[in-house]
Amino acid sequence: MKIAILGGSFNPIHIGHCMLAESVIKDLGYDKVLFVPTNLPPHKMLNNAPSAQERFNMVKAFCDTNSRFDAESCEIDRGGASYTFDTLQFVLEKYASCLTGIIGLI
């Protein structure tokens, strides 16, 4: 199974995220896209933003509309600042038995 990772603050999730995920599946042949909302981005402030859990809930509601999309809460569950290295370690462990491809987080 080819799994792509799409990370971001998703403040809020929008049509650009959706189009990118659909393109990854259609044009690049991935089987699934994991949407990974950041808990606390280390490179920018989320002023007056919904909480991490609220952003995750928005992403989850969107992913529930397409069986090839999944919301992954690992960065929120881990707490603190979100770093790509930690997320990749988690995904590689969790999906080791079925992972054949990854694209970068944005």
Side-chain angles (χ1 to χ4, degrees):
M1 177 180 290
K2 290 177 68 175
I3 298 175
I5 301 169
L6 180 57
S9 60
F10 300 109
N11 180 33
I13 191 166
H14 56 70
I15 191 70
H17 299 122
C18 306
M19 291 172 62
L20 176 61
E22 289 174 359
S23 180
V24 164
I25 288 172
K26 179 182 173 197
D27 299 333
L28 300 178
Y30 279 77
D31 301 302
K32 186 167 290 288
V33 175
L34 293 179
F35 286 77
V36 184
T38 188
N39 185 52
L40 294 172
H43 62 284
K44 68 178 178 180
M45 297 295 291
L46 294 178
N47 296 326
N48 300 318
S51 70
Q53 188 61 52
E54 290 169 324
R55 291 182 288 107
F56 175 78
N57 292 344
M58 286 187 277
V59 169
K60 175 94 172 81
F62 167 71
C63 289
D64 287 347
T65 67
N66 186 323
S67 64
R68 299 178 87 178
F69 298 161
D70 276 332
E72 174 56 63
S73 64
C74 64
E75 291 189 2
I76 296 167
D77 297 342
R78 190 168 47 248
S82 299
Y83 295 101
T84 302
F85 177 81
D86 298 323
T87 301
L88 289 177
Q89 279 188 308
F90 173 86
V91 170
L92 288 170
E93 266 183 43
K94 182 173 180 178
Y95 297 94
S97 64
C98 65
L99 193 64
T100 61
I102 297 177
I103 64 169
L105 286 87
I106 60 169

